[in-house]
Amino acid sequence: MKILIVDDESDICELIGFIVQDIFPSDTDTLLAYSGNEAIKILKENDDIEICICDHNMADGMGPDVLKYLIEVKSKTKFVLCSTVIPSDKPNDYPAGFVYTNIQKPEIGIGIEHLFHLVEKSMLEKLKCMSDEFFPVKVHVLSLMEALPADIYIRMSDNKFIKCINQSEEFSSADKEKYTQKFVAELYMKKGEHSPSVNEIILDTVQKIMERRNLPLTEKLNIAHSQLVVLIKFTGITPELAESSKKNIQQSVALIMKNPLAADFWKEMNFLGEYPSTLYTLHSLLASIVVKKLHWSSEATMYKLSLSAFLQDISLDSIPLMEICDNQEFIEKQSRFTPAEVKKYLEHPQRAIEVLASFKEIPPDVDRLLLEQHEMPDGTGFPRKLNANQLGPLTCVFIITGIFARHILKDKSSFDVGAFAILLEGKGYSRGNFKESFEVIKSMRKI
Ligand SMILES: [Fe+2]
Protein backbone atom coordinates (compact mmCIF):
# COMPACT_ATOMS: atom_id res chain seq x y z
CA MET A 1 0.00 0.00 0.00
CA LYS A 2 1.27 3.48 -0.91
CA ILE A 3 0.51 6.45 1.34
CA LEU A 4 1.29 10.08 0.42
CA ILE A 5 1.91 12.49 3.30
CA VAL A 6 1.63 16.23 2.65
CA ASP A 7 2.73 18.88 5.15
CA ASP A 8 4.79 22.05 4.65
CA GLU A 9 6.51 21.57 8.00
CA SER A 10 9.11 18.99 7.09
CA ASP A 11 9.57 17.63 10.64
CA ILE A 12 5.77 17.05 10.96
CA CYS A 13 5.71 15.41 7.54
CA GLU A 14 8.51 13.05 8.58
CA LEU A 15 6.91 12.39 11.97
CA ILE A 16 3.63 11.35 10.27
CA GLY A 17 5.66 9.10 7.93
CA PHE A 18 7.36 7.52 10.91
CA ILE A 19 4.06 6.84 12.74
CA VAL A 20 2.47 5.40 9.58
CA GLN A 21 5.44 3.03 9.13
CA ASP A 22 5.05 2.00 12.75
CA ILE A 23 1.32 1.29 12.68
CA PHE A 24 0.59 0.10 9.14
CA PRO A 25 1.83 -3.32 7.86
CA SER A 26 5.54 -3.49 7.06
CA ASP A 27 4.99 -3.53 3.26
CA THR A 28 3.49 0.02 3.34
CA ASP A 29 5.39 2.63 1.26
CA THR A 30 5.29 6.29 2.28
CA LEU A 31 5.88 9.24 -0.05
CA LEU A 32 6.41 12.75 1.32
CA ALA A 33 5.39 16.09 -0.23
CA TYR A 34 6.03 19.51 1.34
CA SER A 35 3.31 21.48 -0.49
CA GLY A 36 -0.06 20.96 -2.12
CA ASN A 37 1.35 21.47 -5.62
CA GLU A 38 4.16 18.98 -5.02
CA ALA A 39 1.52 16.49 -3.81
CA ILE A 40 -0.54 16.99 -7.01
CA LYS A 41 2.58 16.36 -9.11
CA ILE A 42 3.27 13.10 -7.20
CA LEU A 43 -0.40 12.03 -7.51
CA LYS A 44 -0.23 12.60 -11.30
CA GLU A 45 2.79 10.32 -11.54
CA ASN A 46 1.47 7.61 -9.17
CA ASP A 47 -2.08 6.39 -9.74
CA ASP A 48 -1.62 3.62 -7.18
CA ILE A 49 -1.52 5.85 -4.08
CA GLU A 50 -4.30 4.57 -1.83
CA ILE A 51 -4.28 7.25 0.86
CA CYS A 52 -3.27 10.92 0.89
CA ILE A 53 -2.82 12.37 4.40
CA CYS A 54 -2.86 16.12 3.83
CA ASP A 55 -2.43 19.33 5.85
CA HIS A 56 -4.85 22.25 5.31
CA ASN A 57 -2.81 25.41 5.42
CA MET A 58 0.25 25.39 3.15
CA ALA A 59 1.97 28.15 1.15
CA ASP A 60 2.29 26.50 -2.28
CA GLY A 61 -1.08 24.78 -2.84
CA MET A 62 -3.43 24.19 0.10
CA GLY A 63 -5.28 21.06 1.28
CA PRO A 64 -8.46 21.98 -0.67
CA ASP A 65 -6.39 22.26 -3.89
CA VAL A 66 -5.22 18.67 -3.45
CA LEU A 67 -8.74 17.42 -2.77
CA LYS A 68 -10.09 19.43 -5.75
CA TYR A 69 -7.57 17.71 -8.02
CA LEU A 70 -8.55 14.24 -6.70
CA ILE A 71 -12.27 14.98 -7.28
CA GLU A 72 -11.62 16.34 -10.80
CA VAL A 73 -9.72 13.26 -11.97
CA LYS A 74 -12.18 10.91 -10.17
CA SER A 75 -9.22 9.47 -8.29
CA LYS A 76 -9.65 6.41 -6.04
CA THR A 77 -7.08 7.84 -3.57
CA LYS A 78 -8.65 8.35 -0.15
CA PHE A 79 -8.19 11.93 1.11
CA VAL A 80 -7.46 12.28 4.85
CA LEU A 81 -7.28 15.78 6.30
CA CYS A 82 -4.56 16.14 8.96
CA SER A 83 -4.91 19.56 10.53
CA THR A 84 -6.22 21.58 13.46
CA VAL A 85 -9.06 22.45 11.05
CA ILE A 86 -11.83 19.84 10.80
CA PRO A 87 -13.68 19.19 7.49
CA SER A 88 -17.11 20.27 8.83
CA ASP A 89 -15.61 23.73 9.65
CA LYS A 90 -15.05 24.30 5.92
CA PRO A 91 -17.76 22.43 3.99
CA ASN A 92 -17.01 24.34 0.77
CA ASP A 93 -13.36 23.30 0.86
CA TYR A 94 -14.05 19.75 2.06
CA PRO A 95 -17.40 18.62 0.65
CA ALA A 96 -19.08 15.80 2.58
CA GLY A 97 -18.40 12.37 1.13
CA PHE A 98 -14.99 13.26 -0.31
CA VAL A 99 -12.98 13.19 2.92
CA TYR A 100 -12.30 9.62 4.07
CA THR A 101 -11.56 10.68 7.64
CA ASN A 102 -9.61 13.38 9.46
CA ILE A 103 -6.68 13.40 11.87
CA GLN A 104 -6.92 16.13 14.45
CA LYS A 105 -3.54 17.77 15.18
CA PRO A 106 -1.77 17.44 17.58
CA GLU A 107 -3.22 13.94 18.27
CA ILE A 108 -1.47 12.49 15.21
CA GLY A 109 -0.73 9.02 16.67
CA ILE A 110 -4.33 8.41 17.76
CA GLY A 111 -5.61 9.67 14.38
CA ILE A 112 -3.34 7.35 12.39
CA GLU A 113 -4.30 4.38 14.56
CA HIS A 114 -7.97 5.19 13.85
CA LEU A 115 -7.21 5.48 10.12
CA PHE A 116 -5.49 2.08 10.16
CA HIS A 117 -8.55 0.43 11.73
CA LEU A 118 -10.83 2.02 9.12
CA VAL A 119 -8.62 0.78 6.26
CA GLU A 120 -8.33 -2.70 7.76
CA LYS A 121 -12.11 -2.91 8.19
CA SER A 122 -12.84 -1.80 4.63
CA MET A 123 -10.29 -4.31 3.25
CA LEU A 124 -12.01 -7.14 5.13
CA GLU A 125 -15.39 -6.02 3.84
CA LYS A 126 -14.05 -5.92 0.28
CA LEU A 127 -12.72 -9.44 0.67
CA LYS A 128 -16.07 -10.62 2.03
CA CYS A 129 -17.92 -9.03 -0.89
CA MET A 130 -15.61 -10.69 -3.35
CA SER A 131 -15.99 -14.05 -1.67
CA ASP A 132 -19.68 -13.95 -2.51
CA GLU A 133 -18.64 -14.70 -6.05
CA PHE A 134 -15.32 -16.54 -6.12
CA PHE A 135 -13.75 -19.28 -4.02
CA PRO A 136 -9.98 -19.87 -3.83
CA VAL A 137 -8.66 -23.34 -4.69
CA LYS A 138 -5.04 -24.25 -3.99
CA VAL A 139 -3.04 -25.09 -7.12
CA HIS A 140 -1.97 -28.31 -5.40
CA VAL A 141 -5.62 -29.34 -4.88
CA LEU A 142 -6.43 -28.60 -8.55
CA SER A 143 -3.53 -30.78 -9.63
CA LEU A 144 -5.08 -33.70 -7.73
CA MET A 145 -8.50 -33.38 -9.38
CA GLU A 146 -9.08 -35.81 -12.23
CA ALA A 147 -11.12 -33.55 -14.52
CA LEU A 148 -11.83 -29.99 -13.49
CA PRO A 149 -15.39 -29.84 -12.12
CA ALA A 150 -15.72 -26.11 -12.87
CA ASP A 151 -14.18 -23.31 -14.92
CA ILE A 152 -11.03 -21.96 -13.32
CA TYR A 153 -10.22 -18.26 -12.98
CA ILE A 154 -7.05 -16.35 -12.18
CA ARG A 155 -7.18 -13.20 -10.08
CA MET A 156 -5.64 -10.22 -11.87
CA SER A 157 -6.37 -7.56 -9.26
CA ASP A 158 -8.61 -7.08 -6.21
CA ASN A 159 -11.84 -7.68 -8.10
CA LYS A 160 -10.78 -8.68 -11.60
CA PHE A 161 -10.85 -12.40 -12.45
CA ILE A 162 -10.15 -13.96 -15.85
CA LYS A 163 -11.08 -17.49 -16.90
CA CYS A 164 -7.91 -19.49 -17.56
CA ILE A 165 -9.01 -23.15 -17.81
CA ASN A 166 -12.33 -24.61 -18.93
CA GLN A 167 -14.45 -27.03 -16.95
CA SER A 168 -13.75 -30.75 -17.60
CA GLU A 169 -10.23 -30.03 -18.90
CA GLU A 170 -7.37 -31.57 -17.02
CA PHE A 171 -5.14 -29.47 -14.77
CA SER A 172 -1.86 -30.85 -16.10
CA SER A 173 1.51 -31.04 -14.40
CA ALA A 174 2.65 -28.37 -16.90
CA ASP A 175 -0.17 -26.10 -15.61
CA LYS A 176 0.92 -26.74 -12.04
CA GLU A 177 4.53 -25.95 -12.92
CA LYS A 178 3.53 -22.75 -14.77
CA TYR A 179 1.51 -21.32 -11.85
CA THR A 180 3.97 -22.44 -9.19
CA GLN A 181 6.81 -20.71 -11.05
CA LYS A 182 4.78 -17.51 -11.12
CA PHE A 183 4.17 -17.86 -7.35
CA VAL A 184 0.42 -18.26 -7.93
CA ALA A 185 -0.69 -20.44 -5.02
CA GLU A 186 -4.44 -20.18 -5.60
CA LEU A 187 -6.81 -20.06 -8.55
CA TYR A 188 -10.58 -19.52 -8.28
CA MET A 189 -13.91 -21.15 -9.01
CA LYS A 190 -16.99 -19.01 -9.59
CA LYS A 191 -20.01 -19.41 -7.38
CA GLY A 192 -23.45 -19.95 -8.83
CA GLU A 193 -22.26 -21.62 -12.02
CA HIS A 194 -22.38 -25.13 -10.67
CA SER A 195 -24.41 -27.61 -8.76
CA PRO A 196 -23.39 -28.86 -6.20
CA SER A 197 -21.96 -25.61 -4.90
CA VAL A 198 -18.32 -24.70 -5.47
CA ASN A 199 -17.67 -24.98 -1.76
CA GLU A 200 -19.00 -28.54 -1.78
CA ILE A 201 -16.88 -29.42 -4.82
CA ILE A 202 -13.73 -28.14 -3.11
CA LEU A 203 -14.47 -29.81 0.22
CA ASP A 204 -15.32 -33.07 -1.53
CA THR A 205 -11.97 -32.97 -3.34
CA VAL A 206 -10.14 -32.42 -0.04
CA GLN A 207 -11.97 -35.48 1.32
CA LYS A 208 -10.89 -37.56 -1.70
CA ILE A 209 -7.28 -36.42 -1.26
CA MET A 210 -7.38 -37.75 2.31
CA GLU A 211 -8.57 -41.13 1.03
CA ARG A 212 -5.87 -41.52 -1.63
CA ARG A 213 -3.61 -44.48 -1.07
CA ASN A 214 -0.60 -43.21 -2.98
CA LEU A 215 -0.04 -39.95 -1.09
CA PRO A 216 2.17 -39.74 2.01
CA LEU A 217 0.34 -38.87 5.24
CA THR A 218 2.28 -35.64 5.73
CA GLU A 219 1.31 -34.47 2.26
CA LYS A 220 -2.38 -35.25 2.85
CA LEU A 221 -2.40 -33.26 6.08
CA ASN A 222 -0.51 -30.38 4.47
CA ILE A 223 -2.78 -30.08 1.44
CA ALA A 224 -6.02 -30.40 3.43
CA HIS A 225 -4.91 -27.80 5.97
CA SER A 226 -3.81 -25.25 3.36
CA GLN A 227 -7.10 -25.56 1.43
CA LEU A 228 -9.33 -25.36 4.50
CA VAL A 229 -7.42 -22.42 5.98
CA VAL A 230 -7.47 -20.44 2.71
CA LEU A 231 -11.26 -20.88 2.60
CA ILE A 232 -11.65 -19.88 6.27
CA LYS A 233 -9.51 -16.75 5.73
CA PHE A 234 -11.45 -15.90 2.58
CA THR A 235 -15.05 -16.36 3.70
CA GLY A 236 -14.70 -16.37 7.47
CA ILE A 237 -15.61 -19.42 9.50
CA THR A 238 -18.97 -20.60 8.16
CA PRO A 239 -20.84 -23.54 9.80
CA GLU A 240 -20.11 -25.59 6.66
CA LEU A 241 -16.36 -24.91 6.90
CA ALA A 242 -16.28 -25.59 10.63
CA GLU A 243 -17.97 -28.96 10.01
CA SER A 244 -15.59 -29.87 7.15
CA SER A 245 -12.52 -28.84 9.17
CA LYS A 246 -13.73 -30.92 12.10
CA LYS A 247 -14.31 -33.97 9.89
CA ASN A 248 -10.95 -33.50 8.24
CA ILE A 249 -9.10 -33.28 11.56
CA GLN A 250 -10.90 -36.41 12.82
CA GLN A 251 -9.95 -38.19 9.61
CA SER A 252 -6.33 -37.01 9.98
CA VAL A 253 -6.22 -38.22 13.57
CA ALA A 254 -7.54 -41.66 12.55
CA LEU A 255 -4.75 -41.89 9.95
CA ILE A 256 -2.11 -40.67 12.42
CA MET A 257 -3.17 -43.24 15.01
CA LYS A 258 -3.09 -46.03 12.43
CA ASN A 259 0.36 -45.15 11.09
CA PRO A 260 3.20 -45.91 13.47
CA LEU A 261 5.68 -43.05 13.15
CA ALA A 262 9.37 -43.41 13.79
CA ALA A 263 10.47 -41.05 16.54
CA ASP A 264 12.66 -39.15 14.10
CA PHE A 265 10.32 -39.30 11.09
CA TRP A 266 10.96 -35.63 10.30
CA LYS A 267 14.35 -36.59 8.82
CA GLU A 268 12.41 -38.15 5.94
CA MET A 269 10.10 -35.19 5.47
CA ASN A 270 10.68 -32.68 2.77
CA PHE A 271 9.42 -29.41 4.11
CA LEU A 272 7.79 -28.16 0.94
CA GLY A 273 4.52 -26.32 1.29
CA GLU A 274 3.38 -23.26 3.13
CA TYR A 275 4.68 -22.67 6.64
CA PRO A 276 1.33 -22.74 8.52
CA SER A 277 0.34 -26.07 6.93
CA THR A 278 3.73 -27.68 7.50
CA LEU A 279 3.66 -26.45 11.09
CA TYR A 280 0.18 -27.94 11.67
CA THR A 281 1.24 -31.28 10.17
CA LEU A 282 4.50 -31.51 12.10
CA HIS A 283 2.97 -30.29 15.37
CA SER A 284 0.16 -32.89 15.15
CA LEU A 285 2.55 -35.73 14.32
CA LEU A 286 5.04 -34.83 17.08
CA ALA A 287 2.21 -34.56 19.60
CA SER A 288 1.05 -38.04 18.56
CA ILE A 289 4.53 -39.48 19.19
CA VAL A 290 4.67 -37.93 22.66
CA VAL A 291 1.19 -39.06 23.74
CA LYS A 292 1.78 -42.57 22.34
CA LYS A 293 5.00 -42.86 24.34
CA LEU A 294 3.20 -41.63 27.43
CA HIS A 295 0.40 -44.17 26.79
CA TRP A 296 -2.25 -41.45 26.79
CA SER A 297 -2.95 -42.12 23.19
CA SER A 298 -6.59 -42.15 22.38
CA GLU A 299 -8.22 -40.63 19.31
CA ALA A 300 -10.07 -38.22 21.60
CA THR A 301 -6.80 -36.86 23.09
CA MET A 302 -5.17 -36.60 19.68
CA TYR A 303 -8.24 -34.84 18.29
CA LYS A 304 -7.90 -32.16 20.98
CA LEU A 305 -4.24 -31.64 20.13
CA SER A 306 -4.75 -31.61 16.35
CA LEU A 307 -7.75 -29.29 16.51
CA SER A 308 -5.69 -26.91 18.66
CA ALA A 309 -2.73 -27.15 16.25
CA PHE A 310 -5.15 -26.31 13.41
CA LEU A 311 -6.63 -23.25 15.13
CA GLN A 312 -3.75 -21.90 17.24
CA ASP A 313 -2.55 -19.18 14.81
CA ILE A 314 -5.66 -18.92 12.61
CA SER A 315 -5.95 -15.13 13.09
CA LEU A 316 -2.28 -14.43 12.24
CA ASP A 317 -1.19 -13.54 8.71
CA SER A 318 2.48 -12.96 9.39
CA ILE A 319 4.75 -16.01 9.13
CA PRO A 320 7.53 -14.38 11.25
CA LEU A 321 4.95 -14.17 14.07
CA MET A 322 3.91 -17.82 13.63
CA GLU A 323 7.57 -18.87 13.74
CA ILE A 324 8.05 -17.46 17.24
CA CYS A 325 8.52 -20.33 19.71
CA ASP A 326 7.67 -18.74 23.03
CA ASN A 327 7.07 -15.46 24.81
CA GLN A 328 10.76 -15.03 25.65
CA GLU A 329 11.58 -15.02 21.91
CA PHE A 330 8.60 -12.73 21.23
CA ILE A 331 9.88 -10.14 23.74
CA GLU A 332 13.36 -10.27 22.14
CA LYS A 333 11.92 -9.73 18.64
CA GLN A 334 9.00 -7.45 19.49
CA SER A 335 10.67 -4.30 18.12
CA ARG A 336 10.70 -5.83 14.60
CA PHE A 337 6.89 -5.77 14.48
CA THR A 338 4.47 -2.88 14.10
CA PRO A 339 2.23 -2.01 17.10
CA ALA A 340 -0.73 -3.45 15.13
CA GLU A 341 1.13 -6.76 14.63
CA VAL A 342 2.11 -6.87 18.33
CA LYS A 343 -1.51 -6.29 19.33
CA LYS A 344 -2.67 -9.03 16.96
CA TYR A 345 -0.09 -11.43 18.37
CA LEU A 346 -1.06 -10.78 21.98
CA GLU A 347 -4.71 -11.29 21.10
CA HIS A 348 -4.33 -14.39 18.89
CA PRO A 349 -4.98 -17.04 21.60
CA GLN A 350 -8.31 -15.36 22.35
CA ARG A 351 -9.14 -15.00 18.63
CA ALA A 352 -8.52 -18.75 18.18
CA ILE A 353 -11.11 -19.48 20.89
CA GLU A 354 -13.61 -17.26 19.07
CA VAL A 355 -13.15 -19.32 15.87
CA LEU A 356 -13.42 -22.51 17.95
CA ALA A 357 -16.87 -21.39 19.08
CA SER A 358 -18.14 -22.04 15.51
CA PHE A 359 -17.34 -25.74 15.88
CA LYS A 360 -20.05 -28.04 17.16
CA GLU A 361 -19.50 -30.48 20.05
CA ILE A 362 -16.15 -29.09 21.12
CA PRO A 363 -14.32 -31.52 23.41
CA PRO A 364 -13.24 -30.21 26.83
CA ASP A 365 -9.72 -28.73 27.17
CA VAL A 366 -9.40 -27.37 23.61
CA ASP A 367 -10.18 -23.81 24.68
CA ARG A 368 -7.55 -24.16 27.43
CA LEU A 369 -4.94 -25.47 24.99
CA LEU A 370 -5.60 -22.52 22.68
CA LEU A 371 -5.61 -19.92 25.44
CA GLU A 372 -2.48 -21.28 27.14
CA GLN A 373 -0.45 -21.97 23.95
CA HIS A 374 2.13 -19.27 24.83
CA GLU A 375 2.47 -19.72 28.57
CA MET A 376 6.02 -20.31 29.86
CA PRO A 377 7.36 -22.71 32.54
CA ASP A 378 8.47 -19.79 34.76
CA GLY A 379 5.10 -18.05 34.53
CA THR A 380 6.32 -15.23 32.24
CA GLY A 381 4.18 -16.22 29.26
CA PHE A 382 0.83 -14.75 28.26
CA PRO A 383 -2.08 -14.21 28.73
CA ARG A 384 -2.55 -15.97 32.09
CA LYS A 385 1.05 -16.13 33.39
CA LEU A 386 0.67 -19.75 34.53
CA ASN A 387 3.82 -21.69 35.41
CA ALA A 388 4.96 -25.29 34.80
CA ASN A 389 3.07 -26.55 37.87
CA GLN A 390 -0.14 -24.71 37.07
CA LEU A 391 -0.34 -25.73 33.40
CA GLY A 392 -2.04 -29.09 32.78
CA PRO A 393 0.02 -32.00 31.36
CA LEU A 394 -1.88 -31.91 28.03
CA THR A 395 -1.20 -28.18 27.64
CA CYS A 396 2.46 -28.94 28.30
CA VAL A 397 2.48 -31.55 25.48
CA PHE A 398 0.86 -29.00 23.18
CA ILE A 399 3.31 -26.20 24.06
CA ILE A 400 6.48 -28.30 23.97
CA THR A 401 5.64 -30.08 20.68
CA GLY A 402 4.75 -26.69 19.15
CA ILE A 403 8.25 -25.45 20.04
CA PHE A 404 9.73 -28.73 18.78
CA ALA A 405 7.97 -28.38 15.38
CA ARG A 406 9.06 -24.74 14.98
CA HIS A 407 12.69 -25.62 15.73
CA ILE A 408 12.69 -28.46 13.18
CA LEU A 409 11.22 -26.13 10.54
CA LYS A 410 13.83 -23.48 11.35
CA ASP A 411 16.90 -25.75 11.41
CA LYS A 412 15.70 -28.36 8.86
CA SER A 413 18.53 -30.84 8.11
CA SER A 414 20.83 -29.37 10.76
CA PHE A 415 18.25 -29.95 13.53
CA ASP A 416 19.72 -31.89 16.45
CA VAL A 417 17.49 -33.36 19.18
CA GLY A 418 20.30 -33.42 21.77
CA ALA A 419 21.03 -29.71 21.38
CA PHE A 420 17.29 -28.98 21.37
CA ALA A 421 16.77 -30.89 24.65
CA ILE A 422 19.57 -28.86 26.29
CA LEU A 423 17.92 -25.64 25.09
CA LEU A 424 14.54 -26.75 26.45
CA GLU A 425 16.07 -27.64 29.80
CA GLY A 426 17.83 -24.27 29.99
CA LYS A 427 14.48 -22.51 29.55
CA GLY A 428 12.77 -24.62 32.23
CA TYR A 429 10.75 -26.86 29.89
CA SER A 430 11.90 -29.94 31.84
CA ARG A 431 10.15 -28.90 35.04
CA GLY A 432 6.69 -29.40 36.57
CA ASN A 433 4.11 -30.78 34.19
CA PHE A 434 6.49 -30.40 31.24
CA LYS A 435 8.75 -33.12 32.71
CA GLU A 436 7.08 -36.17 31.14
CA SER A 437 6.88 -34.78 27.60
CA PHE A 438 10.40 -33.38 27.95
CA GLU A 439 11.74 -36.85 28.86
CA VAL A 440 10.12 -38.32 25.72
CA ILE A 441 11.75 -35.68 23.51
CA LYS A 442 15.11 -36.09 25.24
CA SER A 443 14.96 -39.87 24.75
CA MET A 444 14.63 -39.42 20.98
CA ARG A 445 18.32 -38.60 20.63
CA LYS A 446 19.25 -42.15 21.63
CA ILE A 447 17.39 -43.60 18.66
FE1 LIG B 1 0.44 -19.07 18.53
Side-chain angles (χ1 to χ4, degrees):
M1 179 186 294
K2 268 191 192 173
I3 300 182
L4 172 63
I5 296 151
V6 194
D7 203 303
D8 58 348
E9 286 181 62
S10 60
D11 49 347
I12 302 244
C13 205
E14 277 149 28
L15 173 73
I16 298 173
F18 179 75
I19 301 173
V20 165
Q21 290 289 358
D22 206 28
I23 290 177
F24 276 69
S26 34
D27 59 349
T28 303
D29 280 336
T30 48
L31 291 89
L32 306 183
Y34 302 102
S35 72
N37 285 332
E38 192 187 348
I40 293 169
K41 189 168 172 276
I42 293 174
L43 286 162
K44 278 182 185 166
E45 288 162 1
N46 298 270
D47 60 359
D48 55 347
I49 293 173
E50 285 192 41
I51 300 170
C52 171
I53 301 175
C54 189
D55 187 16
H56 170 71
N57 203 6
M58 292 176 286
D60 180 20
M62 303 243 298
D65 298 316
V66 178
L67 180 59
K68 203 171 151 212
Y69 167 76
L70 291 174
I71 296 170
E72 267 169 17
V73 298
K74 296 190 172 69
S75 170
K76 285 184 183 162
T77 307
K78 296 177 176 76
F79 182 88
V80 176
L81 182 64
C82 179
S83 167
T84 49
V85 168
I86 60 170
S88 56
D89 288 344
K90 296 184 175 292
N92 292 334
D93 286 343
Y94 301 108
F98 290 97
V99 179
Y100 186 64
T101 187
N102 73 301
I103 296 168
Q104 180 88 56
K105 282 180 182 171
E107 306 288 354
I108 295 172
I110 295 168
I112 292 172
E113 184 118 13
H114 172 69
L115 171 65
F116 173 69
H117 290 306
L118 277 182
V119 172
E120 203 183 28
K121 204 171 146 217
S122 83
M123 271 160 73
L124 281 174
E125 271 159 15
K126 197 154 83 183
L127 216 63
K128 252 192 181 147
C129 238
M130 207 168 62
S131 63
D132 283 347
E133 237 194 312
F134 290 92
F135 280 96
V137 197
K138 300 301 278 187
V139 163
H140 208 138
V141 169
L142 286 170
S143 72
L144 290 163
M145 288 178 173
E146 274 142 22
L148 292 172
D151 291 336
I152 302 299
Y153 294 77
I154 184 163
R155 182 174 171 184
M156 307 305 287
S157 63
D158 266 1
N159 38 27
K160 191 175 174 198
F161 294 77
I162 292 176
K163 194 199 285 184
C164 57
I165 309 172
N166 291 322
Q167 179 177 3
S168 70
E169 279 180 16
E170 192 199 342
F171 191 82
S172 64
S173 49
D175 286 327
K176 187 181 173 191
E177 178 80 15
K178 182 173 90 183
Y179 291 111
T180 310
Q181 271 183 3
K182 288 182 185 164
F183 301 103
V184 175
E186 291 121 31
L187 291 166
Y188 295 80
M189 285 185 187
K190 198 171 180 182
K191 196 177 165 182
E193 285 187 345
H194 309 278
S195 176
S197 75
V198 163
N199 213 5
E200 278 165 14
I201 293 172
I202 299 170
L203 296 173
D204 185 51
T205 309
V206 170
Q207 172 75 24
K208 284 184 181 144
I209 289 170
M210 296 299 289
E211 287 161 10
R212 287 219 177 173
R213 285 173 183 273
N214 56 350
L215 265 186
L217 176 61
T218 49
E219 213 161 312
K220 286 180 183 175
L221 264 61
N222 242 335
I223 295 169
H225 176 274
S226 63
Q227 180 60 57
L228 289 166
V229 168
V230 78
L231 282 175
I232 292 173
K233 297 232 171 197
F234 206 69
T235 62
I237 181 85
T238 62
E240 196 183 7
L241 276 174
E243 192 53 29
S244 299
S245 304
K246 183 180 151 182
K247 271 194 194 149
N248 181 269
I249 296 163
Q250 283 168 338
Q251 203 176 0
S252 307
V253 166
L255 290 173
I256 291 171
M257 300 303 278
K258 245 199 290 174
N259 283 279
L261 286 165
D264 55 354
F265 74 95
W266 63 85
K267 288 182 187 162
E268 310 294 322
M269 263 183 91
N270 62 13
F271 296 104
L272 294 175
E274 291 149 3
Y275 186 86
S277 305
T278 323
L279 177 64
Y280 157 72
T281 303
L282 199 50
H283 194 170
S284 298
L285 295 174
L286 291 167
S288 81
I289 290 185
V290 173
V291 293
K292 276 180 190 173
K293 286 255 175 176
L294 293 174
H295 304 291
W296 308 344
S297 54
S298 69
E299 283 203 18
T301 307
M302 259 319 292
Y303 175 59
K304 291 178 192 179
L305 291 162
S306 279
L307 178 57
S308 306
F310 188 96
L311 293 175
Q312 57 185 329
D313 293 340
I314 195 94
S315 68
L316 297 179
D317 302 309
S318 152
I319 290 173
L321 282 176
M322 293 179 205
E323 285 172 332
I324 290 173
C325 287
D326 62 19
N327 198 38
Q328 189 185 336
E329 189 185 334
F330 174 64
I331 290 166
E332 283 161 17
K333 293 183 173 168
Q334 193 169 345
S335 61
R336 297 182 196 176
F337 301 103
T338 66
E341 284 172 320
V342 169
K343 188 167 178 274
K344 235 179 171 178
Y345 189 74
L346 294 174
E347 287 172 355
H348 85 274
Q350 190 56 44
R351 294 287 95 81
I353 292 176
E354 286 162 19
V355 176
L356 175 72
S358 309
F359 285 67
K360 282 187 193 148
E361 295 151 27
I362 307 158
D365 303 329
V366 179
D367 50 354
R368 264 184 68 178
L369 295 183
L370 291 172
L371 191 65
E372 296 169 1
Q373 57 174 296
H374 292 299
E375 298 292 345
M376 298 268 305
D378 60 0
T380 58
F382 73 96
R384 304 177 72 184
K385 303 205 177 302
L386 299 179
N387 64 33
N389 295 317
Q390 295 163 316
L391 293 163
L394 196 63
T395 306
C396 292
V397 172
F398 186 67
I399 294 175
I400 208 166
T401 49
I403 300 173
F404 195 1
R406 286 172 176 87
H407 270 267
I408 293 174
L409 290 176
K410 181 161 69 85
D411 299 344
K412 300 202 170 83
S413 57
S414 61
F415 178 78
D416 176 73
V417 191
F420 176 62
I422 292 169
L423 184 124
L424 281 179
E425 201 164 8
K427 288 179 148 198
Y429 287 102
S430 56
R431 295 201 298 259
N433 288 325
F434 283 101
K435 193 171 188 313
E436 285 180 287
S437 0
F438 171 76
E439 290 300 333
V440 174
I441 293 171
K442 195 176 159 193
S443 71
M444 289 183 189
R445 71 178 154 171
K446 294 182 198 136
I447 299 164

